[in-house]
Amino acid sequence: MSGKICFVQGNEACVRGALYAGVRFFAGYPITPSTEIAEHLADQLPRVGGKFVQMEDELASMCAICGASLAGFKSMTATSGPGFSLKQEALGYAIMAEIPCVVVNVQRGGPSTGLPTECSQGDVMQARWGAHGDHSIIALTASSIQDAFEVTVQAFNLAETYRTPVVLLFDEVLGHMRERLEIPEAGVLPVVERLKTDVRAGVNYHPYLPREDGRLPMSDFGGVHRFNVTGLHHDIWGFPTSNDEQVVKLNYHLFDKIESHANELARWKEYYLEDAEHVLISYGSSARTARALVEDRRAKGDRLGLLELQTLWPFPAQLVQDKTANAKSIYVVEMNMGQVASQVKAVVANPDRVFLVNRMDGHLMTPSDISQVMRVVEGRGF
Amino acid sequence: MSIYRLIRQRFFPHLWCPGCGHGMVLNSLLHAVDDLGIDQSQLCMVSGIGCSARISGYVDFHSMHTLHGRALAFATGLKMARPELKVFVPMGDGDATAIGGNHFIHACRRNIDMVAIVMNNRIYGMTGGQYSPLSGRQIGGDDEKSRERSVFATTAPYGSIDRAFDTVELAKGAGATFVARTTAYHVQEMRRLFKQAYEHKGFSVVEVLCQCPTYFGRKNKMGGAVQMLQWLKDNTEKLGSKKLEENPNLIARGVFVDKDEPEYCSEYENSVIAKAHKE
Ligand SMILES: Cc1ncc(C[n+]2csc(CCOP(=O)(O)OP(=O)(O)O)c2C)c(N)n1
Ligand code: SF4
């Protein structure tokens, strides 16, 4: 991969990834620690034929990207906790109306205004269930600048493939940390373009009729097909319906189109898992800490391994089961009260051997935070 | 040409009550679009949630039925992405000025080219008759008795104490560059104003006072649709008319603002994109 090398923040890596994937519209509202994403895109988008707008709030921003996406633009917004809360209603709309878009949440401490400039991973469950009603969602995360770039490209690809919003759950440390980024040449990473309908003008086009493979080809607003988009339950024309059968069918469609692909959607990294007795599971910036500890203890001969999740939703249950099958104990390392740990417990054979290692004060986890818990669990004292 | 080409006949009958003013707005809008002879594939309609918002399903344009109050935010993204498209944004009074009030003033301020139609029936129709920011404290109008009469709603059982916004003043103050008011009674005037609003480059607001016989009418003993239309006829007058000058209790109709100011999408093109390319 002989690309351009730079030294950038995670937020900028996200912007570079978005541009690589072909983002052409951004709407947002400033909030720490995500603001640099808006600032860079305000600068970059007009250079590539794209548009940037600073809206009056985060919900308006989420609405605006839905509008732009329906007009055929790859669209994104970025925010942090309070803004992510505001976006939820329109995020649900994007799910219901099947509008591809990318929503970045650079997490900070919560609830409420919380810790604006400090780190947390407290929005994992909100990403999954923040919008009301049964639904499914894709959420990705990353622990390095290079990965932030790559998962951002992937987020756009998945949004287009599944016709759905994709959430990027970054965190303050990743967003603000600087590291080397190698931007691959165009064409090195696959970029998925919008699947457009081949139905000709004058022939009935059904915006909500899935093909055999489950995908729904789109037609841009302003194109030859005129159709209705709504957040109400709707039929294949996009027209509101409360027909029992159609309602249930749509609910299952929205859920299954993502959940039934959980295995393909799983992205992860692993370190020393082959013979690991103790498996650490982590993601985002706390995975850096977990990895440091694993490297350190391996050097001393301890059989520790790390499973770093990059896909949080749909939860990669099969992956977690497979990778922890031989573990004596599992430590979930995260900066919240166990939002992923609860998922791990729900899927592994021996939930009693799953332990949470967390930190809630806004500071990045340290290796000794992890080893302290391990000492207690292993009966080596406090 | 026939206005039938502009509707989705498959989706009728519509869900509005008999006598609802929203259907009259649809009718005038279709005639206006027909008069203008616009290619339907260039037309978008973005609406929020409410009885009024259902209008977008009935027109054979590119249509988006969005969230309560948020239509203008969706429309902003759509219009910025494709400035060549023409966008109508019909809203209920609650939709536009309560939950969507912030989006409304900011769309006015940006002066983004689209036509916002405030279908003002002074009540929340869809949810069954609660007061809106346009309900006001008194019925108002020329007749002394009705002028002083309290406005009732299901959430104002003792009479409303909420002062009303004046949509026209709100839009003016927020910077809209075309602002007009008409009523569901004045269908030809409405048709004309829609055309003027459409042809204006910038953010246009047309307030249409209309009747909700089912809730506002019933709660406030205004009679049926016919009586309510009569009320709109009797209590409004054209801007600049002698009658209006002489009687401050009448509500003014007509064009209040019509001015040229830089339009948002053009500014983005001419200023931001042009400068970004120079660097
Ligand atoms: C976020 C949210 N809050 C509340 C509602 C419930 N709701 C639906 S329509 C409506 C008010 C409708 O009144 P108006 O906008 O004046 O339009 P009308 O029905 O009178 O045409 C309300 C409160 C909703 N759909 N979404
Ligand atoms: S409730 Fe009122 S606003 Fe709604 S359709 Fe009936 S008359 Fe119209």
Side-chain angles (χ1 to χ4, degrees):
Chain A
M1 177 153 106
S2 74
K4 192 181 152 210
I5 292 172
C6 41
F7 185 67
V8 296
Q9 278 191 332
N11 284 342
E12 189 176 348
C14 171
V15 167
R16 304 281 181 115
L19 290 165
Y20 189 94
V23 69
R24 286 296 176 271
F25 186 83
F26 179 94
Y29 191 85
I31 185 167
T32 305
S34 76
T35 306
E36 295 83 2
I37 296 177
E39 289 170 342
H40 283 290
L41 282 166
D43 179 50
Q44 292 296 312
L45 278 172
R47 298 170 194 248
V48 296
K51 307 281 170 75
F52 168 93
V53 61
Q54 183 172 311
M55 293 297 285
E56 50 274 19
D57 61 39
E58 288 87 347
L59 175 46
S61 308
M62 187 69 215
C63 297
I65 70 165
C66 289
S69 181
L70 286 172
F73 280 40
K74 287 189 177 178
S75 302
M76 86 188 270
T77 183
T79 189
S80 188
F84 195 55
S85 293
L86 284 180
K87 287 185 192 298
Q88 294 303 321
E89 191 192 11
L91 184 62
Y93 184 85
I95 291 166
M96 185 59 142
E98 304 191 65
I99 302 173
C101 56
V102 173
V103 181
V104 186
N105 175 0
V106 186
Q107 296 165 96
R108 62 193 230 178
S112 190
T113 312
L115 292 169
T117 59
E118 294 184 63
C119 191
S120 154
Q121 295 169 334
D123 304 345
V124 175
M125 281 298 170
Q126 189 187 20
R128 177 64 188 88
W129 290 115
H132 60 277
D134 275 318
H135 61 271
S136 187
I137 195 140
I138 299 172
L140 308 177
T141 180
S143 67
S144 72
I145 299 306
Q146 191 69 37
D147 288 349
F149 175 91
E150 287 173 20
V151 302
T152 303
V153 176
Q154 182 68 358
F156 278 91
N157 288 348
L158 296 177
E160 294 300 336
T161 305
Y162 291 90
R163 233 185 114 165
T164 192
V166 174
V167 176
L168 283 171
L169 273 182
F170 294 149
D171 58 54
E172 189 277 334
V173 167
L174 182 78
H176 284 160
M177 167 180 86
R178 281 174 197 276
E179 224 172 37
R180 181 181 190 274
L181 169 67
E182 187 169 347
I183 301 175
E185 302 275 357
V188 173
L189 293 183
V191 168
V192 176
E193 294 309 335
R194 184 157 299 184
L195 178 66
K196 298 270 175 79
T197 178
D198 53 13
V199 171
R200 277 168 296 114
V203 179
N204 279 335
Y205 160 68
H206 299 105
Y208 294 101
L209 180 65
R211 297 196 310 198
E212 244 171 53
D213 62 0
R215 294 187 66 187
L216 290 90
M218 296 184 74
S219 173
D220 297 343
F221 267 48
V224 295
H225 300 292
R226 296 183 299 272
F227 56 93
N228 190 52
V229 174
T230 179
L232 289 166
H233 277 84
H234 47 268
D235 59 18
I236 56 173
W237 299 94
F239 203 70
T241 181
S242 52
N243 171 284
D244 298 358
E245 202 180 311
Q246 285 178 350
V247 166
V248 174
K249 199 167 160 189
L250 178 56
N251 280 345
Y252 277 111
H253 163 71
L254 295 177
F255 191 80
D256 291 343
K257 75 172 185 178
I258 292 170
E259 296 298 323
S260 68
H261 292 94
N263 289 346
E264 304 151 48
L265 287 166
R267 263 184 87 103
W268 75 97
K269 289 183 150 182
E270 56 179 87
Y271 305 92
Y272 311 105
L273 282 184
E274 309 76 38
D275 62 345
E277 283 180 359
H278 306 288
V279 172
L280 275 58
I281 297 179
S282 192
Y283 54 91
S285 57
S286 47
R288 300 173 75 93
T289 308
R291 188 173 162 198
L293 179 89
V294 168
E295 302 275 2
D296 192 41
R297 294 275 298 263
R298 275 280 165 179
K300 294 177 186 144
D302 294 338
R303 281 157 61 182
L304 262 61
L306 169 66
L307 172 61
E308 180 191 333
L309 302 179
Q310 290 189 330
T311 301
L312 295 182
W313 303 115
F315 190 71
Q318 184 76 49
L319 174 78
V320 168
Q321 281 163 3
D322 293 350
K323 299 294 177 187
T324 59
N326 301 318
K328 282 190 188 151
S329 49
I330 300 166
Y331 296 88
V332 181
V333 182
E334 57 183 339
M335 297 181 66
N336 58 46
M337 290 190 179
Q339 299 189 20
V340 164
S342 62
Q343 296 300 301
V344 172
K345 277 183 196 260
V347 302
V348 297
N350 197 348
D352 294 346
R353 298 302 301 165
V354 177
F355 303 97
L356 169 66
V357 183
N358 69 352
R359 183 157 183 164
M360 305 283 299
D361 59 1
H363 298 293
L364 182 63
M365 190 93 62
T366 64
S368 68
D369 293 331
I370 306 173
S371 43
Q372 262 176 31
V373 174
M374 294 183 75
R375 283 175 66 84
V376 175
V377 171
E378 288 162 8
R380 292 188 282 124
F382 289 94
Chain B
M1 266 200 270
S2 153
I3 59 164
Y4 287 99
R5 75 184 165 96
L6 300 173
I7 58 173
R8 294 174 172 142
Q9 295 188 47
R10 189 183 335 116
F11 298 149
F12 283 76
H14 59 67
L15 60 53
W16 296 314
C17 308
C20 176
H22 295 340
M24 294 167 167
V25 176
L26 174 61
N27 187 44
S28 292
L29 183 76
L30 294 175
H31 279 106
V33 169
D34 191 46
D35 292 348
L36 289 160
I38 324 161
D39 170 11
Q40 268 155 276
S41 290
Q42 292 299 297
L43 286 178
C44 301
M45 187 180 274
V46 184
S47 67
I49 296 291
C51 297
S52 42
R54 287 303 190 96
I55 191 171
S56 60
Y58 303 128
V59 293
D60 190 10
F61 308 169
H62 302 283
S63 63
M64 220 187 282
H65 176 238
T66 67
L67 300 172
H68 190 34
R70 318 293 172 195
L72 286 167
F74 282 87
T76 298
L78 171 64
K79 180 71 182 179
M80 279 196 78
R82 302 281 298 263
E84 73 277 14
L85 299 178
K86 292 296 200 165
V87 185
F88 287 102
V89 187
M91 296 171 283
D93 42 309
D95 211 24
T97 67
I99 194 163
N102 202 31
H103 309 307
F104 183 73
I105 57 175
H106 287 280
C108 291
R109 174 182 64 77
R110 286 189 191 100
N111 194 33
I112 186 162
D113 184 36
M114 55 182 71
V115 180
I117 302 169
V118 181
M119 298 155 79
N120 177 10
N121 55 17
R122 303 180 66 181
I123 200 98
Y124 287 0
M126 180 124 271
T127 42
Q130 301 76 27
Y131 64 89
S132 95
L134 303 187
S135 298
R137 297 165 64 104
Q138 278 104 22
I139 299 291
D142 191 28
D143 174 70
E144 205 174 318
K145 267 199 195 143
S146 81
R147 193 159 63 235
E148 301 298 325
R149 211 145 55 79
S150 281
V151 167
F152 289 94
T154 58
T155 45
Y158 305 108
S160 162
I161 58 166
D162 275 48
R163 294 159 65 211
F165 276 133
D166 178 329
T167 312
V168 166
E169 292 301 324
L170 183 65
K172 271 165 73 177
T177 51
F178 181 94
V179 182
R181 181 190 286 132
T182 183
T183 85
Y185 175 82
H186 301 90
V187 288
Q188 294 300 343
E189 180 181 270
M190 185 172 11
R191 178 174 175 172
R192 255 193 334 272
L193 289 175
F194 284 159
K195 283 190 274 187
Q196 257 180 283
Y198 175 88
E199 280 173 340
H200 173 79
K201 193 168 165 69
F203 193 72
S204 307
V205 178
V206 181
E207 181 184 28
V208 184
L209 306 181
C210 56
Q211 75 281 10
C212 166
T214 305
Y215 294 111
F216 193 84
R218 206 194 287 159
K219 275 271 154 202
N220 292 290
K221 304 197 166 56
M222 302 282 287
V226 175
Q227 288 76 19
M228 292 182 85
L229 285 164
Q230 184 72 40
W231 191 93
L232 291 171
K233 174 174 184 269
D234 294 345
N235 291 286
T236 62
E237 264 308 326
K238 268 199 181 144
L239 258 183
S241 68
K242 219 168 162 359
K243 271 193 186 164
L244 185 68
E245 231 167 76
E246 287 167 359
N247 187 349
N249 297 319
L250 296 177
I251 302 163
R253 306 192 319 269
V255 177
F256 297 79
V257 179
D258 185 0
K259 60 181 179 188
D260 278 333
E261 295 264 354
E263 190 276 330
Y264 197 72
C265 298
S266 303
E267 284 301 290
Y268 196 86
E269 201 70 44
N270 301 334
S271 182
V272 177
I273 293 182
K275 284 179 190 158
H277 277 93
K278 260 193 222 141
E279 274 181 19

